[in-house]
Amino acid sequence: MALTRLPVANAIPDDSIANVKMANIVQSKNIIINGDMQIAQRGTSTASVTGDGYKTVDRFINEMSSAGTWTLSQDTDVPSGYGFSSSLKYDCTTANGSLSAGSWGFISQRFEGQNLQYLNYGTSSAQKLTLSFWVKSVKTGTYIVEMVSFATTKSQSQSYTISSASTWEKKTITFTGDTATAIANSNARSFNLNFWLVAGTTYTSGTLNTSYNTTTNANRAVGQVNLADSTSNNFWITGIQLEAGDTASEFEFLPVDVNLFRCQRYYFKTQDGVGTANALLMTGGVESSTSAGQGSLTLPTEMRTDPTLSFGSGVRFYSTGSSTVTPTIATNRSTSSNLSAAVTISSGSNGQAGYCYQGAASGNIIGDAEL
Amino acid sequence: MIISVKKQYDPLTNTFSSYELIEENQLVKSVPLNEANRDYQAIQEWAKIEGNNIIDNGA
């Protein structure tokens, strides 16, 4: 048979590479972002943690009250042979062996409702969700993982057991779908996935609620061990995947640029240069008076909403004909597609070009649109 | 934890345009007037607590 030369060049559209990349993002089966703990824009370790907040790896928020003191870090301890390079580590540095009733602590990821519409909640076709993850803990026993609907105040909890101390174990848990209540189709926080670590009797005194019901605190974390009861307690987790259906598939590894891109919808931080690298951060100029400058940078992806803006201590402003000054934010003019600010400066000339740059260590600019 | 909140006025228009938020770690944030923003939501909840006042020094 004669071979026919295919007109390959004509068959492949010019934008095909971009389409393949976008298809990879759109078709991602994992609802969790950064489930392999690869991205840590805020930093790789935070010590003396006692309360709420995003502390280290992207998209995972620490929720905590009266539950000891912890160091949270991006760690290299991972299950061997499964392709992971990072985990999220909780290291108890001050114990709390006598929890108050209202003590609580968990690792959480929050989801936008518009990303969950395909689950068909609120219909008879509501899909199940299957969670899989790798976990290692010094403390064995029962742990609770929970799905919480923020908008409808309904929740569902499931338990898992850590059988062997200080040993990586893979866990798989399936949550039923909610046939009664739809998920609002918006960019607002709709669901949380919570990995409980510490729970006082307020959350443990009832019967574990294993299907979607209006949240009763006493039924949320029944049986949860107290991970805060010793400074010897360390806890690691990685490879978190939450997918539609009742079967756990292999963890979906994404290229680091795609992973970072997904995280930057919620948090964006310019990279610190080497020392005082004078890296350009925002371009702009001096407007309206000698004391107000303005600058802007275009974000790599649309953020979830208009972001909170902050400057690191090393950000400087320079305008033609004036000396370098340390700017403070006069107002936040950012949108979901760019970071922009009017800044107060000590000197400048109206109409002159100017820019913000990294003039010292921690010269970074942060946009925060987390859930 | 929120330490203080102050209204920010745009120097070009003199209109109330964002909040300056100072947290326990002394990090200074500029928060947009957008109900979907998490820090904006936190400021509204903080302001409901008796004794917490948003500073307004005007334009």
Side-chain angles (χ1 to χ4, degrees), chain A residues 96-166:
Chain A
N96 183 348
S98 301
L99 298 177
S100 53
S103 294
W104 48 271
F106 50 81
I107 307 162
S108 183
Q109 186 161 129
R110 300 168 172 179
F111 312 112
E112 295 178 59
Q114 62 189 358
N115 287 338
L116 303 178
Q117 297 302 302
Y118 67 95
L119 297 177
N120 288 320
Y121 277 25
T123 76
S124 58
S125 303
Q127 294 200 58
K128 293 178 180 177
L129 283 173
T130 295
L131 172 71
S132 54
F133 57 97
W134 286 90
V135 65
K136 172 178 168 178
S137 178
V138 169
K139 190 174 184 67
T140 59
T142 300
Y143 289 73
I144 303 297
V145 61
E146 175 187 42
M147 288 289 297
V148 178
S149 170
F150 187 74
T152 66
T153 64
K154 295 167 77 174
S155 61
Q156 176 181 173
S157 298
Q158 302 290 341
S159 65
Y160 66 96
T161 302
I162 293 182
S163 307
S164 302
S166 303

Side-chain angles (χ1 to χ4, degrees), chain A residues 40-360:
Chain A
Q41 292 185 83
R42 293 170 181 81
T44 56
S45 183
T46 301
S48 306
V49 174
T50 58
D52 299 345
Y54 291 90
K55 304 297 182 183
T56 172
V57 295
D58 277 48
R59 299 295 293 122
F60 289 93
I61 185 170
N62 179 67
E63 306 251 22
M64 190 169 278
S65 178
S66 302
T69 305
W70 300 80
T71 296
L72 277 54
S73 61
Q74 182 190 43
D75 201 55
T76 56
D77 191 338
V78 294
S80 179
Y82 293 93
F84 299 103
S85 58
S86 300
S87 62
L88 171 59
K89 179 182 179 182
Y90 272 61
D91 178 0
C92 184
T93 55
T94 302
N96 183 348
S98 301
L99 298 177
S100 53
S103 294
W104 48 271
F106 50 81
I107 307 162
S108 183
Q109 186 161 129
R110 300 168 172 179
F111 312 112
E112 295 178 59
Q114 62 189 358
N115 287 338
L116 303 178
Q117 297 302 302
Y118 67 95
L119 297 177
N120 288 320
Y121 277 25
T123 76
S124 58
S125 303
Q127 294 200 58
K128 293 178 180 177
L129 283 173
T130 295
L131 172 71
S132 54
F133 57 97
W134 286 90
V135 65
K136 172 178 168 178
S137 178
V138 169
K139 190 174 184 67
T140 59
T142 300
Y143 289 73
I144 303 297
V145 61
E146 175 187 42
M147 288 289 297
V148 178
S149 170
F150 187 74
T152 66
T153 64
K154 295 167 77 174
S155 61
Q156 176 181 173
S157 298
Q158 302 290 341
S159 65
Y160 66 96
T161 302
I162 293 182
S163 307
S164 302
S166 303
T167 304
W168 281 104
E169 300 177 17
K170 186 175 184 181
K171 305 298 177 186
T172 301
I173 292 166
T174 296
F175 293 91
T176 59
D178 186 351
T179 57
T181 310
I183 299 171
N185 184 22
S186 76
N187 65 346
R189 172 180 168 189
S190 66
F191 265 87
N192 298 358
L193 175 68
N194 300 333
F195 292 88
W196 283 83
L197 306 174
V198 175
T201 55
T202 296
Y203 306 100
T204 62
S205 58
T207 303
L208 194 66
N209 170 46
T210 57
S211 61
Y212 278 114
N213 288 298
T214 300
T215 300
T216 300
N217 275 335
N219 300 336
R220 294 178 65 184
V222 180
Q224 171 66 45
V225 298
N226 177 14
L227 191 67
D229 65 0
S230 168
T231 56
S232 298
N233 288 347
N234 295 334
F235 180 93
W236 295 260
I237 190 166
T238 192
I240 305 174
Q241 183 154 286
L242 184 65
E243 57 193 303
D246 55 9
T247 305
S249 60
E250 290 298 307
F251 184 82
E252 178 185 63
F253 288 100
L254 297 176
V256 66
D257 58 326
V258 177
N259 212 358
L260 175 62
F261 191 74
R262 299 185 78 196
C263 293
Q264 286 175 332
R265 176 170 173 77
Y266 304 92
Y267 185 88
F268 172 84
K269 180 181 179 183
T270 59
Q271 290 292 307
D272 287 337
V274 178
T276 55
N278 296 325
L280 180 65
L281 297 170
M282 283 179 164
T283 56
V286 180
E287 63 173 25
S288 75
S289 75
T290 57
S291 61
Q294 126 118 323
S296 177
L297 70 82
T298 302
L299 290 161
T301 186
E302 188 94 357
M303 297 195 85
R304 182 186 65 84
T305 188
D306 297 345
T308 296
L309 182 68
S310 56
F311 284 179
S313 59
V315 174
R316 301 290 182 266
F317 184 88
Y318 174 82
S319 61
T320 310
S322 70
S323 59
T324 294
V325 296
T326 301
T328 57
I329 300 172
T331 195
N332 181 355
R333 293 172 174 167
S334 302
T335 70
S336 57
S337 61
N338 77 336
L339 298 183
S340 181
V343 297
T344 301
I345 54 178
S346 56
S347 65
S349 299
N350 190 9
Q352 298 283 10
Y355 55 87
C356 289
Y357 68 101
Q358 184 193 2

Side-chain angles (χ1 to χ4, degrees), chain B residues 14-29:
Chain B
N14 291 329
T15 55
F16 168 46
S17 51
S18 54
Y19 289 110
E20 180 188 83
L21 167 64
I22 299 179
E23 296 184 328
E24 195 172 32
N25 57 9
Q26 298 304 311
L27 182 64
V28 180
K29 298 178 172 180

